Amino acid sequence: MPPQPHEILDYILIDSNPLRARIAELGRQITADYQGQTLMLVGILKGSMLFMADLMRYIEVPHTVDFMDVSAYGAGARQSSGDVRILMDLHSPIEGQHVLIVEDIIDSGHTMDHVLRLLQARRPASLKVCTLLDKAERREVPIKLDYVGFEIPNVFVFGYGLDIDEYYRNLPYIAVVKPGIDLSHE
Ligand code: PRP
């Protein structure tokens, strides 16, 4: 059994109310920016699933949703080498569509760099990025971010879609792991 959240949680970085408020703001901004257009939201699994579900409720332009599952190569490859594997591709073509990628966190930037190159080659009408969290300090590849929920410091976070060893994605807040917790299986 994985430990209870309170056993591994150091502090809550972003609680559910500020999360909801900021996501509502992002939704309103996206609604304003895409006025008169239709939009295709592309979620990167699995971390983006809660963010996507909440964000789309605040987007009031007509939109479709699709998902890709992308992973860094090799077990325990969190310190991304830049090799990114497509585990599940989109179901729909994106040519001529206004595409907005929805991601939970940009860390080194390797995952998003790969996804952007892949999707740009499919000739969408536009391609932008919306990330809930930006750990800018860790960036290894520059990425242009169009919508950012929160810039966060270089701490290990979990909850609200982000996992530790696949658990805790259901937590309604984003928390920081206690120092000394073994994250080797993340
Ligand atoms: C996380 C996150 C991003 C990526 C960011 O995904 O959701 O996709 O890492 O890291 P990077 O900027 O260093 O590439 P992860 O591979 O942990 O998969 P998950 O979303 O299924 O948890």
Side-chain angles (χ1 to χ4, degrees):
M1 286 283 278
Q4 290 294 311
H6 71 266
E7 296 176 77
I8 57 165
L9 185 158
D10 190 4
Y11 58 94
I12 291 179
L13 184 67
I14 312 169
D15 213 338
S16 53
N17 282 334
L19 266 178
R20 190 180 316 116
R22 183 69 185 122
I23 292 167
E25 273 179 12
L26 288 173
R28 283 193 289 270
Q29 200 184 336
I30 291 165
T31 300
D33 292 352
Y34 287 90
Q35 232 13 266
Q37 297 174 332
T38 59
L39 181 59
M40 181 175 175
L41 301 176
V42 167
I44 308 301
L45 295 172
K46 303 172 194 156
S48 70
M49 56 185 183
L50 274 74
F51 180 40
M52 173 70 94
D54 285 337
L55 179 67
M56 64 188 289
R57 285 179 245 215
Y58 294 102
I59 297 179
E60 292 176 12
V61 292
H63 59 275
T64 59
V65 182
D66 205 344
F67 291 94
M68 285 178 90
D69 193 359
V70 184
S71 154
Y73 258 114
R78 181 95 196 184
Q79 309 290 328
S80 184
S81 60
D83 289 328
V84 176
R85 195 163 38 142
I86 304 298
L87 302 178
M88 184 189 83
D89 204 340
L90 297 174
H91 286 56
S92 327
I94 63 167
E95 186 170 352
Q97 304 258 8
H98 293 289
V99 174
L100 179 60
I101 303 172
V102 176
E103 180 61 293
D104 57 337
I105 186 166
I106 312 285
D107 193 324
S108 71
H110 286 296
T111 304
M112 190 53 66
D113 183 56
H114 187 88
V115 169
L116 282 168
R117 285 169 197 277
L118 189 78
L119 296 188
Q120 195 62 63
R122 298 178 188 179
R123 299 189 298 170
S126 67
L127 182 61
K128 290 187 176 182
V129 179
C130 176
T131 185
L132 179 62
L133 306 177
D134 176 17
K135 208 187 267 189
E137 218 180 296
R138 295 250 307 169
R139 200 75 85 250
E140 291 171 15
V141 192
I143 303 287
K144 180 178 176 292
L145 299 177
D146 301 283
Y147 304 96
V148 175
F150 301 88
E151 186 171 324
I152 64 165
N154 186 13
V155 287
F156 190 90
V157 287
F158 68 106
Y160 197 74
L162 293 103
D163 70 306
I164 301 173
D165 202 11
E166 293 297 329
Y167 290 99
Y168 312 112
R169 294 192 198 269
N170 59 312
L171 299 177
Y173 49 76
I174 291 172
V176 175
V177 179
K178 272 183 191 165
I181 298 285
D182 178 14
L183 297 172
S184 56
H185 301 295
E186 81 188 57

